[in-house]
Amino acid sequence: MVILCVGGDKRYEYLSEMLRSIGEVYTIGIKGSKDKIDKYEDMPEKADVLVLPLMGKGMEVVCGEVSYPLAAIAGYVKTGGIVLGGRLTNEQQALFAKLDLESADYLKSGSLAVKNSIPTAEGTLAIAIENIDDTVFGSNVLITGWGRTAKCCARLFKSSGAYCTVAARRSEALADAWTESADIIKISELAAKADKYDIIINTVPAMVLTEEVLLNVKENCLVIDLASIPGGTDFEAAKRLGIRTIHALALPGKTAPKAAGRMIYETIIDILEERGVKCDKGDKT
């Protein structure tokens, strides 16, 4: 099996190394990688599988300061081959279909989402430790939302000695958070109760930390927003009010790239095997 890996941060360096256990791997735009080629035209043969990084909108693959046309790179995949990427748009998937290529978005894997919540929570704790003047132990932490990442954050911060409160809209989510020994409030109560917290962690991909809420946060409160762009915080209002905010994106690749690469590798193996591709996994460590 011939695999072409393109772009991405350090997690993709680990990913490309792990993929060598199932085939011949060529890479573009991945630092420190073996069998790195300077441009896709240097591919000695067409690939059976193309692995893309997290994609943005548009029809280019961004690798640091260099961009590659997606159509040109996809042209170096065999007819009937498979394209795997993160956050693939409908337009991008339509291109692959036009080229008679299968495609799958590995970020839509439920198992990867669960696994990614662990390094995300650890990275969030590291950010908190580095950016507050007090200890996390004994601090009052508010977590908005109650999805996978929020749950991991609550457990990790609680185990570090923080007092955790969860804000959510659904009564079922609040009840579940209560079973985890967290205090609970409704999202609608945020503005009234925002002054109680030293750290606020947002996981909701919608505007929940509005100017009305931010007007009431305590002095020196640290806001860490984990939601994808544009986030769930009114960053302009926070700047005017002098509130410290950190929009912490792609934490798995920044704080635990080896683990993040392994998680994507395991997901890719699952996707390929579901499509009938035999993978000799070798040593996954």
Side-chain angles (χ1 to χ4, degrees):
M1 185 190 314
V2 178
I3 303 170
L4 173 60
C5 292
V6 184
D9 51 33
K10 193 170 180 62
R11 74 185 111 173
Y12 292 91
E13 181 180 333
Y14 287 108
L15 169 62
S16 64
E17 288 304 311
M18 294 173 191
L19 286 171
R20 295 183 195 285
S21 67
I22 64 170
E24 186 73 25
V25 178
Y26 298 94
T27 66
I28 300 174
I30 300 177
K31 295 179 180 179
S33 176
K34 298 176 183 177
D35 295 324
K36 180 179 177 182
I37 54 180
D38 293 326
K39 48 189 177 180
Y40 48 85
E41 294 93 340
D42 294 335
M43 277 288 291
E45 55 187 322
K46 286 198 171 186
D48 300 289
V49 179
L50 169 62
V51 178
L52 298 171
L54 303 188
M55 298 290 291
K57 294 180 180 179
M59 302 301 287
E60 292 192 334
V61 187
V62 180
C63 306
E65 298 179 355
V66 181
S67 297
Y68 300 97
L70 183 59
I73 288 178
Y76 282 81
V77 183
K78 295 176 184 175
T79 300
I82 302 173
V83 180
L84 303 169
R87 297 185 188 138
L88 297 178
T89 66
N90 291 336
E91 183 184 18
Q92 291 161 359
Q93 291 181 311
L95 167 67
F96 302 139
K98 186 177 180 180
L99 296 172
D100 198 17
L101 303 173
E102 291 187 57
S103 62
D105 190 327
Y106 50 71
L107 272 194
K108 290 185 177 179
S109 164
S111 62
L112 181 58
V114 171
K115 293 173 181 177
N116 264 338
S117 64
I118 296 170
T120 298
E122 289 186 356
T124 305
L125 179 60
I127 289 171
I129 291 170
E130 291 172 1
N131 288 278
I132 61 174
D133 294 330
D134 210 332
T135 59
V136 169
F137 184 93
S139 64
N140 290 303
V141 178
L142 173 66
I143 300 169
T144 58
W146 192 240
R148 300 178 182 98
T149 297
K151 290 178 182 180
C152 274
C153 284
R155 291 164 186 159
L156 188 57
F157 275 79
K158 185 172 179 292
S159 69
S160 299
Y163 299 102
C164 293
T165 298
V166 172
R169 289 191 174 90
R170 295 184 302 108
S171 57
E172 296 90 344
L174 291 172
D176 190 39
W178 175 78
T179 66
E180 296 270 357
S181 300
D183 291 333
I184 55 174
I185 63 172
K186 295 180 179 178
I187 288 285
S188 59
E189 299 177 282
L190 280 176
K193 298 185 177 181
D195 62 344
K196 300 180 182 295
Y197 307 105
D198 305 298
I199 302 167
I200 299 176
I201 301 167
N202 176 59
T203 69
V204 180
M207 186 60 67
V208 291
L209 300 181
T210 61
E211 183 167 1
E212 180 187 8
V213 174
L214 296 171
L215 278 167
N216 293 294
V217 302
K218 63 162 53 177
E219 187 178 357
N220 294 323
C221 175
L222 174 65
V223 175
I224 306 173
D225 197 322
L226 303 178
S228 299
I229 293 173
T233 303
D234 187 336
F235 292 106
E236 290 186 6
K239 186 176 181 179
R240 288 198 310 272
L241 296 168
I243 298 168
R244 294 180 300 158
T245 60
I246 297 174
H247 199 181
L249 300 173
L251 283 183
K254 295 173 182 175
T255 61
K258 184 174 182 179
R262 182 175 62 250
M263 292 168 188
I264 297 175
Y265 166 79
E266 291 168 350
T267 303
I268 286 175
I269 293 294
D270 290 340
I271 292 172
L272 292 176
E273 291 187 337
E274 286 170 3
R275 283 162 171 71
V277 179
K278 281 193 171 184
C279 300
D280 179 9
K281 299 178 187 179
D283 184 5
K284 295 170 65 174
T285 59

